[in-house]
Amino acid sequence: MKDDAPNLKEFDARLKAEAHEDLADVLPTEAVKKTQIIAIYGKGGIGKSFTLANLSHMMAEQGKRVLLIGCDPKSDTTSLLFGGKACPTIIETSTQKKLAGEEVKIGDVCFKRGGVYAMELGGPEVGRGCGGRGIIHGFELLEKLGFHDWDFDFVLLDFLGDVVCGGFGLPIARDMAQKVILVGSNDLQSLYVANNVCSAVEYFRKLGGNVGVAGLVVNKDDGTGEAHAFAEAVNIPVLASIPQDDDLRKKSANYQIVGTESGLWGPLFAALGLNVADAPPVRPAPLDQDGLLALFDGKETGAGIELVPATDEDMRGKNAAPKKSLEVIYDDA
């Protein structure tokens, strides 16, 4: 397992060795036992944690060994999995242990439910640090805990998609994951974030990276179709459409797991689990701003509005008194 898992320290040498092979465009002819490390991105509040908690629970029911790692400073990824109970984060626990002169142990930061192993990286207190740097520090601690020796079928990383700094882009920039899954909805802001992540994937692919996009999960799908149109436009599949349903909303708000074979929504998450496992990483074709806006009704996006340049007088307002000119004006002869 150690040779299969991405290694931060050996990234440069490994990337050069693999540069000749475009892994995301080559489909293997037979299955190879390997840990799939998948980074999930999406706009804050779009439902990544809801999707991942239920997806990981269902994959465990399907007989997979799953590790769920929350990489969002809000530390909300595992809350739904553990019925609303917050896990001690790796960064917070590490700080406390260091002050006490102790070493962090697996049992301090990793917990189990329904066959899922889960942990939170955490982040700095509000206004006291950089969330992206916290992510980098968190992964350094994971390496010390033996991350590359762990035996899992899937490692799911929950990342905030709104932030595009280096820390949150780590799995894409450093080939830490094999593929990316996007979570979005039929609204412009969530698809804007999804498109940004596609742009990041394509940028690092041009630099020799191998991460690809496995597909889009449409959450709170109201049937208007913009998210499906986006997926088609950027050339990625839709892995699942989770409907905008009051039963799902209430159960999510009450920290109830719906990704179980015994529940009403079991078949939906069972299909999602299979699609996530089988979907190959592909190179997306990110849209420009006009292309993204074209997915929506012009009445909603302000189509047809022209950019009117401001003048110096506009900016000065009441201070815009005319100035005397030194220009000499000659009368007509």
Side-chain angles (χ1 to χ4, degrees), residues 177-190:
Q178 290 93 351
K179 55 191 182 185
V180 164
I181 291 175
L182 306 172
V183 178
S185 189
N186 295 312
D187 68 275
L188 179 58
Q189 290 303 314
S190 74

Side-chain angles (χ1 to χ4, degrees), residues 193-213:
V193 170
N195 193 59
N196 269 354
V197 177
C198 287
S199 296
V201 169
E202 179 61 13
Y203 172 76
F204 285 106
R205 287 299 299 274
K206 290 179 179 178
L207 296 180
N210 292 302
V211 179
V213 177

Side-chain angles (χ1 to χ4, degrees), residues 76 102 171 176 218 259:
D76 57 353
E102 302 174 359
M176 287 177 58
V218 183

